[in-house]
Amino acid sequence: MYRIQVKIIIIGLVLASVQFNFTSGNHDDFDKGKNPYQHQQTLDPNGAYKIEWEVNWKEKRVIFNVTVETKGYVGFGLSKKGKMSGADIVIGGVEPSGRVYFSDYHVPNGSRLPIKDASQDWILHTGWERNNHTFLSFSRKFETCDEENDLPITNDLLTLIWAYGEVDGQPQYHFQNRGGSDVYLLDAIYSTKAVDSIQEFNITRTLLLPEKETTYWCDFHKVPTKTKHHIIEFNPIFPTEQDRGHIHHYLLFRCVAPKGVDPEAIFGGPSRTGGRECYVQVEQGSLEWNYCNELIYVYAVGGKAVVFPEHVGMPMSESGTEYFMLQIHYDNINRIPNLSITSTVQMHYTSELREHDLGVLSVGEWVPGSPSIFLPPNATDHVIIGHCAPGCTQSFLPPEGINVVAALTHSHISGKGMRTLHFREDTELPWLVYDDNYNPNYQQFRMLREERKVLPGDQLSTRCLYDTTIMNGSTVAGGFSTRQEMCDTMIYYYNRILGNSFCLSQIRSREYYNLLGIGNITWNDQRKDLTISSPQQFAGLTMVEYGNEFVDWNIAFRKELQMHHLNQPHVSICPASLSGKIEHPASLPRNIARYAGPIRSQCSQIKKMGRGWSRS
Ligand SMILES: *[C@@H]1O[C@H](CO)[C@@H](O)[C@H](O)[C@H]1NC(C)=O
Ligand SMILES: *[C@@H]1O[C@H](CO)[C@@H](O)[C@H](O)[C@H]1NC(C)=O
Ligand SMILES: *[C@@H]1O[C@H](CO)[C@@H](O)[C@H](O)[C@H]1NC(C)=O
Ligand SMILES: *[C@@H]1O[C@H](CO)[C@@H](O)[C@H](O)[C@H]1NC(C)=O
Ligand SMILES: *[C@@H]1O[C@H](CO)[C@@H](O)[C@H](O)[C@H]1NC(C)=O
Ligand SMILES: *[C@@H]1O[C@H](CO)[C@@H](O)[C@H](O)[C@H]1NC(C)=O
Ligand SMILES: *[C@@H]1O[C@H](CO)[C@@H](O)[C@H](O)[C@H]1NC(C)=O
Ligand SMILES: *[C@@H]1O[C@H](CO)[C@@H](O)[C@H](O)[C@H]1NC(C)=O
Ligand SMILES: *[C@@H]1O[C@H](CO)[C@@H](O)[C@H](O)[C@H]1NC(C)=O
């Protein structure tokens, strides 16, 4: 038990008064850790480069404080996809005389060396050097309108790039120590400080990986409580980078015994066996898929701890003894023998119940089942979309709707851009979450700054943009391995609805199969993939083999495939609960006012107006 107090801070609502003064001096508060820092991160592996930042939503400005173990220069910047080329950076430091220097630079396309911007849009607030450390405090507006040389700060993923050197001034040849770290700068982040009642529950698993590319492993775990508690934080822990590197995702499910049956009798035995492979849910009647349908947590590559805001918690032991089922997707692409991989799902839970119970809903494409996800080779901008139909939300949401607090968009290595769309009657509401710089190796639950109500009859759709060039000219199909694709959003919402957690769609129409040129497809357990069952001439091929050998990927076909996927009806499979499977048709609503995306700035408008004037 911890002697602690829970304190949750939402970022972005508090603004420290900003002093636009170019000074150097002593700031003891910083050293004593008194500052109300809300976002903080150590950027380099040696702990020499620390950053703290705060979002001022009123001024649309981010304030950064950087502390680096150097007496030389400090470089900091923003980039897309971690590229130095095109990055927006600042270089600053404190000279031996105590003078603080600081300037706005950019790295031109195709270059690695920074050039000073004509328009200086980053503002230095203060800086000093002490005990071999340099401290700089500076800020940047989200938008500067210096479109050529600054990167806008948006809800999309950015890479913080950092560098430092031993001497002062602008580095002449190359940055000595440098790196990058992905971050959603504007997202809300909650932190758990402790309360008396907080306890810890770890599920740790060590597995000797089979010598194959993909392994899904499921095992059962008894929870430590017998009365209702709330889990308030999930934290993925990997003892080593090797452990982290071989785990693609995990899903944690709640297992519910049928009424009147002792959970012990069903799950007790299996919980003591160490688990087993569980590649797909084809095995009808298996414990895993019959009883463990309610998702409670998802980790995917790059994910960090999920800490819930203080009015919500994930229930545990609501009706006594309870079991969780953990499914881990391991990667062993190079089929390394004798590889033992360990990971822990750490949960913090409390008996001080919060106001609302959380549930998880997954919205997007159903995988596998139909060849609904079938992506052209070498495509740089192929879009697919999966729906939770209005008919589905009508069937399972309560009249007052649900409130979404966080969302994680999920695709595999070809994913390049993700959006979660929300439709109500003839309107498209703002995207729930979106990221046009999506990095499939940095998958985070994103806490919404404003909770979103989803009502019965609304439609939620996950839209995924893919770049399949990473697959070296291969066709890409939907599936469970890292090289196959998925397209979905995991949503944390309240109040929890009992039943399973999936509202996903696929295309099953004869027209679609005809377009692809195939008759039928079935799950092949040996190959752990879908294979074609008819027509005879293609029988036994996977969709990827078929796509690579028999499909003429001309421009017209690529376009038709895309149009069909976006415009023809999908079958949306509603959360089942015990009442059985319900399905509804769904497609991208047409002839409605589409949401045009977040309003970024007036910059381009001003520029366009400028051009107009000069012409007239
Ligand atoms: C900047 O520093 C000067 C000198 O210390 C002080 O007089 C002035 O009030 C400061 N300006 C702001 C905006 O804090
Ligand atoms: C940055 O440092 C300044 C000066 O010490 C301090 O007043 C401010 O609160 C800090 N802000 C952030 C976001 O860390
Ligand atoms: C600063 O660095 C120098 C040279 O590495 C070292 O001799 C000195 O002890 C350091 N000072 C502090 C306060 O750490
Ligand atoms: C740099 O390259 C990017 C992507 O290739 C392009 O969008 C951008 O306009 C280029 N910037 C300049 C200043 O040429
Ligand atoms: C849970 O696991 C973490 C990481 O291995 C460890 O630090 C912690 O002590 C464990 N907690 C319990 C209660 O076992
Ligand atoms: C794997 O482990 C087994 C048993 O410990 C051992 O016999 C075998 O030599 C190991 N193989 C490799 C390639 O290390
Ligand atoms: C594509 O080819 C490169 C170079 O041969 C290789 O390193 C990479 O792993 C391949 N990518 C995939 C997804 O197979
Ligand atoms: C994909 O691109 C690679 C490299 O540009 C090329 O060799 C290959 O033929 C292309 N494949 C297809 C199917 O377009
Ligand atoms: C596909 O399979 C279904 C069910 O197995 C069957 O009813 C249907 O006739 C098959 N269609 C074709 C074109 O083979």
Side-chain angles (χ1 to χ4, degrees):
M1 286 246 247
Y2 298 72
R3 201 352 326 173
I4 24 192
Q5 253 208 328
V6 166
K7 191 154 183 210
I8 289 177
I9 301 165
I10 181 157
I11 297 315
L13 300 179
V14 190
L15 166 69
S17 65
V18 171
Q19 187 193 332
F20 294 92
N21 245 354
F22 290 63
T23 57
S24 70
N26 283 342
H27 289 255
D28 290 327
D29 282 357
F30 180 74
D31 286 353
K32 288 179 193 150
K34 273 195 206 153
N35 284 315
Y37 295 134
Q38 286 129 352
H39 293 87
Q40 40 192 314
Q41 213 165 306
T42 299
L43 296 186
D44 74 318
N46 303 323
Y49 197 120
K50 295 197 174 76
I51 171 167
E52 280 145 313
W53 75 94
E54 184 180 322
V55 182
N56 176 350
W57 282 95
K58 214 166 125 219
E59 285 187 27
K60 295 199 165 40
R61 176 183 290 279
V62 183
I63 302 122
F64 299 93
N65 281 1
V66 171
T67 310
V68 187
E69 201 177 322
T70 184
K71 292 166 99 168
Y73 74 84
V74 169
F76 176 79
L78 309 175
S79 103
K80 274 189 186 174
K81 311 247 164 190
K83 287 195 203 110
M84 199 57 190
S85 163
D88 177 10
I89 64 180
V90 292
I91 297 167
V94 183
E95 288 173 353
S97 68
R99 192 185 81 88
V100 186
Y101 61 95
F102 179 86
S103 297
D104 181 0
Y105 294 76
H106 67 280
V107 182
N109 278 352
S111 169
R112 301 182 71 87
L113 272 187
I115 292 178
K116 206 176 267 188
D117 291 12
S119 168
Q120 292 286 307
D121 300 295
W122 292 72
I123 293 173
L124 176 71
H125 301 306
T126 182
W128 67 83
E129 190 177 295
R130 204 170 59 202
N131 297 342
N132 297 344
H133 283 73
T134 297
F135 170 85
L136 294 173
S137 176
F138 49 87
S139 72
R140 236 285 315 267
K141 283 205 125 177
F142 296 175
E143 292 283 351
T144 64
C145 294
D146 183 1
E147 287 184 334
E148 288 206 345
N149 298 333
D150 288 336
L151 279 183
I153 296 171
T154 62
N155 283 298
D156 303 306
L157 187 64
L158 284 173
T159 308
L160 301 184
I161 50 177
W162 55 271
Y164 62 94
E166 294 311 312
V167 292
D168 278 314
Q170 180 186 348
Q172 293 304 306
Y173 302 105
H174 59 89
F175 292 102
Q176 288 156 312
N177 305 291
R178 63 189 183 92
S181 181
D182 282 350
V183 69
Y184 291 107
L185 271 180
L186 303 183
D187 277 9
I189 290 179
Y190 301 87
S191 63
T192 313
K193 299 222 173 112
V195 262
D196 279 349
S197 65
I198 291 191
Q199 289 175 281
E200 201 171 293
F201 170 35
N202 281 350
I203 292 180
T204 298
R205 183 205 285 162
T206 299
L207 187 70
L208 187 63
L209 292 200
E211 288 175 43
K212 54 183 177 184
E213 192 176 313
T214 305
T215 299
Y216 275 59
W217 196 270
C218 293
D219 57 10
F220 298 87
H221 302 267
K222 188 176 181 173
V223 308
T225 48
K226 286 204 163 65
T227 56
K228 185 173 176 181
H229 285 68
H230 269 147
I231 299 170
I232 58 172
E233 174 177 359
F234 289 96
N235 191 14
I237 298 175
F238 305 93
T240 68
E241 285 309 303
Q242 171 169 279
D243 293 309
R244 184 189 302 277
H246 284 87
I247 293 182
H248 176 268
H249 76 236
Y250 38 80
L251 301 181
L252 189 63
F253 293 88
R254 185 194 314 280
C255 300
V256 179
K259 255 209 175 84
V261 179
D262 181 5
E264 202 65 54
I266 301 187
F267 309 112
S271 76
R272 290 183 283 272
T273 64
R276 59 167 191 155
E277 280 204 65
C278 55
Y279 194 66
V280 265
Q281 62 269 53
V282 285
E283 231 180 288
Q284 295 297 327
S286 69
L287 284 185
E288 289 89 340
W289 304 109
N290 261 20
Y291 302 118
C292 311
N293 285 317
E294 187 192 338
L295 255 183
I296 60 171
Y297 172 61
V298 177
Y299 160 86
V301 192
K304 298 186 176 160
V306 182
V307 182
F308 300 123
E310 66 188 345
H311 58 303
V312 295
M314 174 58 70
M316 177 165 80
S317 297
E318 200 168 21
S319 40
T321 301
E322 194 167 69
Y323 282 82
F324 289 168
M325 192 265 286
L326 177 66
Q327 179 206 65
I328 300 190
H329 168 179
Y330 296 93
D331 279 333
N332 188 2
I333 308 263
N334 298 320
R335 299 176 165 80
I336 302 165
N338 285 0
L339 192 59
S340 179
I341 296 297
T342 298
S343 75
T344 297
V345 189
Q346 182 186 52
M347 284 158 269
H348 286 118
Y349 64 94
T350 173
S351 56
E352 287 174 21
L353 295 183
R354 293 171 165 200
E355 196 178 346
H356 301 287
D357 286 347
L358 284 173
V360 174
L361 181 67
S362 167
V363 169
E365 277 280 339
W366 182 278
V367 169
S370 94
S372 202
I373 301 182
F374 191 51
L375 311 175
N378 290 352
T380 54
D381 54 2
H382 196 84
V383 173
I384 67 161
I385 192 158
H387 311 287
C388 180
C392 283
T393 61
Q394 194 77 58
S395 76
F396 78 94
L397 294 188
E400 72 278 12
I402 54 169
N403 302 281
V404 178
V405 297
L408 174 155
T409 51
H410 180 65
S411 69
H412 289 175
I413 57 175
S414 299
K416 165 182 166 186
M418 304 282 294
R419 288 174 190 168
T420 311
L421 316 183
H422 185 185
F423 301 93
R424 180 171 298 157
E425 288 166 1
D426 54 0
T427 313
E428 180 177 7
L429 300 170
W431 303 321
L432 207 60
V433 282
Y434 61 92
D435 180 4
D436 287 347
N437 296 337
Y438 188 71
N439 175 358
N441 291 318
Y442 186 76
Q443 305 204 14
Q444 307 301 326
F445 265 105
R446 305 186 60 185
M447 296 292 155
L448 305 191
R449 286 211 313 126
E450 283 170 32
E451 286 176 6
R452 175 72 63 86
K453 187 77 120 175
V454 180
L455 296 172
D458 285 3
Q459 174 171 334
L460 292 174
S461 304
T462 302
R463 175 193 187 272
C464 300
L465 174 68
Y466 294 101
D467 181 342
T468 63
T469 55
I470 192 170
M471 291 302 296
N472 298 336
S474 174
T475 306
V476 178
F480 294 108
S481 95
T482 303
R483 291 154 192 250
Q484 296 174 314
E485 274 308 327
M486 290 196 179
C487 174
D488 52 66
T489 309
M490 314 286 176
I491 288 167
Y492 272 116
Y493 70 90
Y494 66 89
N495 285 315
R496 167 176 171 240
I497 298 162
L498 294 177
N500 83 34
S501 308
F502 301 93
C503 188
L504 305 165
S505 78
Q506 56 178 212
I507 315 180
R508 279 197 213 133
S509 67
R510 195 33 59 197
E511 292 74 20
Y512 181 65
Y513 279 76
N514 288 345
L515 173 66
L516 299 185
I518 58 170
N520 256 343
I521 187 156
T522 49
W523 179 257
N524 182 322
D525 206 40
Q526 240 119 54
R527 302 200 60 188
K528 303 282 182 234
D529 205 345
L530 291 167
T531 54
I532 295 172
S533 48
S534 74
Q536 197 50 45
Q537 68 201 101
F538 304 131
L541 296 179
T542 63
M543 285 310 290
V544 168
E545 289 162 348
Y546 172 71
N548 288 345
E549 290 166 46
F550 296 102
V551 173
D552 175 7
W553 288 105
N554 59 59
I555 292 170
F557 178 66
R558 286 166 185 252
K559 211 167 165 181
E560 200 180 346
L561 183 68
Q562 170 89 86
M563 293 317 285
H564 193 104
H565 188 99
L566 296 183
N567 296 325
Q568 297 304 308
H570 292 216
V571 177
S572 183
I573 302 142
C574 313
S577 77
L578 298 172
S579 61
K581 241 188 206 174
I582 306 169
E583 298 182 345
H584 285 279
S587 51
L588 202 55
R590 271 186 287 181
N591 307 321
I592 65 157
R594 291 298 304 272
Y595 174 64
I599 299 164
R600 273 195 36 206
S601 75
Q602 307 298 311
C603 302
S604 13
Q605 231 168 314
I606 292 164
K607 282 202 177 154
K608 264 186 223 135
M609 270 163 62
R611 253 180 259 133
W613 290 338
S614 64
R615 244 186 275 125
S616 58

